[in-house]
Amino acid sequence: MSQDRPLNNAELLSVLDWYRAAGVDLAVLDEPVDRFAQKPPMPAAMPPRAAPAGAAPAAPPPLSGPVGGDPSEARQLAASAQSLDALRAALERYDGCGLKFRATQLVFADGNPDAKIMLIGEAPGAEEDRQGKPFVGRSGQLLDRMLSAIGLDRTSVYIVNTVPWRPPGNRTPTPEEMELCLPFLNRQVELVAPRLVMTLGGPAMQTVFKTTSGIIKMRGRWQDVTIGTHTVPALPTLHPAYLLRNPPAKQQAWRDLLSFRQRVDELGLA
């Protein structure tokens, strides 16, 4: 293919898909810049500077944001919070997770903190990062319709994520990032003390159910789980974003929702 020929629409879309997969979701300049046509200037060679005799080695320059935190610090901060407001303030102060330095803002929770039904998702997306609330993008709109179908809404549930900051490019959080954020999720569950939990998607299910099994195998299976010090019946189901990509899977999610509604009625929660 000649490089002088303009790209057609299909080729342009494939380039945009590649950018999105690489985590590029924000234009920095108004006009595109062809970096391949630019020749970077060669840096001038600098002779190494000899250290004085007997001097200690120079410390490396500081990094822009921590590369990893201490899980014990996260546990101490989370345990010290005696209310949801205090927990949110603790997360705002916490600098141990590098995701914080790439995100626009903290995405703490949405819904009714007094509700006894909790929904746990994976991590914020682009729209959630902009608004500071979980599940407000396309998948959030579908979640609202799913809740409405079984007689629930955001006033009757409390919605959180396992990770409160958006990973770059909407990638799956790493195990290290999950470990650093888990104490805050555990404390959030302890403070709300829900009587029913529904997890949305594979990563949330694996975190809450402490398993490496896949969501397709686990979905629809009730199990008592312990989150922090709180034990509660939990049901894993498919993530709304997955349902948007795979509409036939909505039939499976609907069965899960009916099972969840039955348990809600048995406990008199709505």
Side-chain angles (χ1 to χ4, degrees), residues 126-257:
E127 192 61 34
E128 290 77 13
D129 185 49
R130 280 189 284 269
Q131 296 192 33
K133 293 182 179 181
F135 287 95
V136 292
R138 288 184 64 222
S139 62
Q141 295 167 11
L142 177 55
L143 177 62
D144 288 341
R145 295 197 295 272
M146 292 165 65
L147 292 173
S148 178
I150 58 171
L152 301 175
D153 58 27
R154 294 194 183 224
T155 67
S156 53
V157 301
Y158 188 65
I159 308 173
V160 301
N161 281 316
T162 56
V163 171
W165 295 288
R166 182 198 180 200
N170 290 354
R171 63 166 172 77
T172 301
T174 66
E176 292 78 14
E177 292 163 348
M178 298 284 281
E179 182 184 8
L180 290 168
C181 296
L182 183 58
F184 298 101
L185 172 66
N186 289 344
R187 187 59 180 150
Q188 209 166 6
V189 174
E190 291 170 353
L191 291 168
V192 175
R195 296 182 62 190
L196 284 181
V197 162
M198 178 185 286
T199 62
L200 303 167
M205 179 272 297
Q206 291 171 341
T207 298
V208 170
F209 285 75
K210 299 179 177 65
T211 181
T212 58
S213 297
I215 183 61
I216 299 301
K217 177 181 178 181
M218 293 289 291
R219 56 142 291 273
R221 299 184 181 185
W222 283 98
Q223 183 176 320
D224 287 347
V225 297
T226 299
I227 309 172
T229 60
H230 185 71
T231 300
V232 60
L235 179 72
T237 193
L238 303 169
H239 196 285
Y242 176 83
L243 300 177
L244 290 171
R245 297 191 302 269
N246 301 274
K250 290 180 180 179
Q251 183 178 13
Q252 295 173 303
W254 176 239
R255 290 199 294 267
D256 298 342
L257 290 172

Side-chain angles (χ1 to χ4, degrees), residues 17-68:
D17 286 339
W18 184 86
Y19 281 146
R20 183 173 59 183
V24 179
D25 57 6
L26 180 67
V28 177
L29 300 174
D30 293 333
E31 297 295 332
V33 178
D34 185 357
R35 301 296 183 186
F36 293 101
Q38 296 179 338
K39 293 183 178 180
M42 295 296 293
M46 296 292 292
R49 188 174 180 179
L63 299 173
S64 56
V67 295

